[in-house]
Amino acid sequence: MTQSECRDASRESTDELGASSCRVVSGERMAGLSEVSEYRHWYENNDVRIPLYEDMTTAQLSLRLPISLGIPKQIIDNSADALFGDGRFLDVRMIGPDDAESARLQALWERVFKDNSFRQRLLTDTIDAGICGGILYSVSYDPSGPRVLRVQSISYDQLWDIEFDEQDSTRVVSYILQWEQVERNDRRENRRRWYRVRMDAEEITRYRAVQPHVERSDGVGVEFGIVSRSTHGLGIIPVAHLANSLHRMQSIGDSEIAPLAPMLDAVNQMVSDAYWQSYNDQSILKAINIAPPDDDDIEQSVVRLGGDQIHFLTGNDQIKQDIVRMKPVGIPDSFFKTLNLLIGQIYKTASEANLDPLKATGSNISGVALRLLYEPLAKKTFKKRIHWAGGFDELARIIFAYANAKSIVLDESGDFVLGGPKYRLEDTEVRWGSLVPGDDAEEQRIILGDLSAGLLGLEEARIKRGL
């Protein structure tokens, strides 16, 4: 059934759930989104894959103690801090045809920015974008709510598909979001049900799965019924898609973890093996001329010997034989050289500098050396700034489109009122702070010098000085 046929059918009848009798069957999820949960495991450092340990029993794993270093979290958190950390992001300027209109635009933008606690969310949103590959911002209008214009952060976890124009493969026609919720029936039993939302340039259509499910479901092949449809009248999709990084012919962004995964497996395996070796070096015992006991005697054994070669001694054998402690074998230097090489390569791939804090404390890095050290991170951050600047511009255009479509403006007291001249947004400008830390006193002197020379305005100088 086509989308237009589905619309016609939905106007005719509804089922017992209050959903339209028109049925929509969920297809395959967009390629590239199935790895999102895996990337979250890497970032959270939970259930991380250690290759050689995957076939071990629970008892063996309790002895092996697999270790994961959690490098992805370090890299992504540092990358997010470089973008939206202290002093790195100043503000977004709205530009209209004249100063008076720019001031009107700026007032509305800052009201929405504040109402939605946007500044507090930016750091966590950019972390989420780094993990999953991107993030979506949806805008909705609710005149009775605490925020008249609501901006919601939507993770790639809920992004199901993006539809493109058949004639123009670069123009997005709609975004499809899909997620599952836990529900409780009359018998107080927990059930799960899939929900879906389709947003295009005309309307927002909400769906609900016809049947709940108990067993784990991936959301593929689910049958939906239409619950509601609302027209927003914007002429544009009320969703700003902000990719973490985007290459030509890509629909969704790339996770920062994706290129690191092969090396992370190797590093975690080596660190786990090193711990196991160190653990055994402290407890290796040697028994002379002792053969492994029969299977029936294993439960009566009181001593475990060796590393991977495990033997058992019965109580009687232990009394008869000499037990001596072996000299620890140790871990060869080549092991640590290989491990350091791998970790260094991970940070290079992530465009980060891997510094040993013990070595850095004795030296004062500044000036040109400091900038060279930050160059890889700076290049990555400058690329991210381009994506985020485009995302802010797209978000601003959606906000002002909503304001014009609903005929709402801010009055002189800063309250939303109906009626008034339409907003005329021409451009946006994101103002970023310095990425590379430096000499605070020198930076202040430069700002004051630029102010005296007339290169900076008083307001901009105050912002740069943190006042």
Side-chain angles (χ1 to χ4, degrees), residues 419-430:
K422 291 185 177 296
Y423 289 99
R424 295 172 294 159
L425 177 66
E426 291 191 350
D427 201 0
T428 60
E429 177 189 3
V430 183

Side-chain angles (χ1 to χ4, degrees), residues 373-394:
L373 185 65
Y374 267 78
E375 186 176 6
L377 178 61
K379 288 180 178 179
K380 179 171 72 172
T381 305
F382 292 150
K383 292 177 184 177
K384 284 178 177 288
R385 287 180 174 182
I386 294 173
H387 288 297
W388 277 91
F392 282 133
D393 183 80
E394 189 177 3

Side-chain angles (χ1 to χ4, degrees), residues 63-341:
L63 295 173
R64 277 293 203 176
L65 294 176
I67 297 172
S68 175
L69 294 185
I71 295 177
K73 186 178 191 306
Q74 302 169 29
I75 289 173
I76 290 177
D77 285 0
N78 189 46
S79 179
D81 182 68
L83 188 62
F84 287 119
D86 183 30
R88 307 286 170 73
F89 168 70
L90 300 180
D91 57 20
V92 185
R93 291 294 177 185
M94 302 294 113
I95 302 173
D98 52 51
D99 290 344
E101 182 61 17
S102 296
R104 287 183 71 233
L105 294 164
Q106 193 68 35
L108 179 60
W109 168 264
E110 290 181 358
R111 171 63 185 272
V112 175
F113 204 82
K114 182 179 179 180
D115 284 352
N116 288 274
S117 304
F118 220 89
R119 184 172 286 275
Q120 295 94 308
R121 286 162 46 191
L122 285 176
L123 195 59
T124 55
D125 284 349
T126 191
I127 288 174
D128 199 69
I131 296 170
C132 303
I135 197 165
L136 306 173
Y137 287 118
S138 71
V139 184
S140 58
Y141 172 67
D142 181 9
S144 62
R147 295 165 291 179
V148 175
L149 290 171
R150 181 189 180 199
V151 180
Q152 184 178 3
S153 303
I154 302 175
S155 171
Y156 268 14
D157 296 274
Q158 295 181 350
L159 178 60
W160 189 263
D161 200 0
I162 302 176
E163 296 178 338
F164 293 88
D165 191 324
E166 293 181 357
Q167 305 300 324
D168 182 1
S169 60
T170 62
R171 190 176 78 85
V172 177
V173 173
S174 70
Y175 290 99
I176 298 175
L177 310 175
Q178 188 167 311
W179 68 96
E180 60 177 344
Q181 293 180 193
V182 177
E183 300 177 344
R184 198 169 255 198
N185 61 14
D186 296 337
R187 296 187 296 275
R188 303 181 67 83
E189 297 172 330
N190 286 338
R191 295 287 188 271
R192 293 180 177 273
R193 191 186 297 268
W194 284 98
Y195 287 81
R196 167 181 282 195
V197 173
R198 182 184 184 276
M199 292 184 277
D200 60 29
E202 299 177 6
E203 58 189 16
I204 300 174
T205 308
R206 304 181 190 280
Y207 305 83
R208 184 186 182 202
V210 175
Q211 297 293 334
H213 59 277
V214 179
E215 300 296 329
R216 183 175 178 84
S217 167
D218 59 6
V220 176
V222 177
E223 186 180 10
F224 289 91
I226 296 179
V227 175
S228 67
R229 179 180 290 111
S230 59
T231 301
H232 52 71
L234 300 183
I236 58 175
I237 308 172
V239 175
H241 178 204
L242 209 154
N244 180 60
S245 64
L246 203 62
H247 301 288
R248 181 176 169 81
M249 304 303 291
Q250 277 189 271
S251 303
I252 57 175
D254 291 324
S255 167
E256 291 191 40
I257 299 175
L260 313 180
M263 292 175 285
L264 293 171
D265 278 345
V267 165
N268 290 335
Q269 182 71 64
M270 293 185 72
V271 172
S272 299
D273 288 346
Y275 178 84
W276 178 241
Q277 180 67 58
S278 299
Y279 173 80
N280 280 332
D281 278 352
Q282 300 174 38
S283 59
I284 290 182
L285 304 176
K286 182 179 181 182
I288 310 300
N289 297 325
I290 294 297
D294 297 332
D295 292 341
D296 295 339
D297 295 327
I298 290 179
E299 293 183 359
Q300 303 298 322
S301 303
V302 294
V303 178
R304 190 188 78 239
L305 301 178
D308 290 333
Q309 300 298 321
I310 297 176
H311 299 279
F312 296 88
L313 297 176
T314 65
N316 291 333
D317 288 335
Q318 186 176 356
I319 295 173
K320 296 176 183 177
Q321 302 301 324
D322 292 329
I323 307 297
V324 296
R325 182 175 295 278
M326 295 179 64
K327 182 179 179 181
V329 177
I331 303 173
D333 291 340
S334 59
F335 177 94
F336 293 104
K337 289 180 180 178
T338 304
L339 181 61
N340 290 333
L341 180 66

Side-chain angles (χ1 to χ4, degrees), residues 37-92:
S37 60
E38 179 184 347
Y39 297 146
R40 287 206 181 279
H41 284 312
W42 276 115
Y43 177 81
E44 296 165 359
N45 215 19
N46 294 329
D47 302 325
V48 173
R49 176 175 177 263
I50 309 292
L52 298 184
Y53 291 3
E54 291 182 341
D55 296 328
M56 288 187 176
T57 65
T58 303
Q60 290 172 324
L61 285 174
S62 67
L63 295 173
R64 277 293 203 176
L65 294 176
I67 297 172
S68 175
L69 294 185
I71 295 177
K73 186 178 191 306
Q74 302 169 29
I75 289 173
I76 290 177
D77 285 0
N78 189 46
S79 179
D81 182 68
L83 188 62
F84 287 119
D86 183 30
R88 307 286 170 73
F89 168 70
L90 300 180
D91 57 20
V92 185

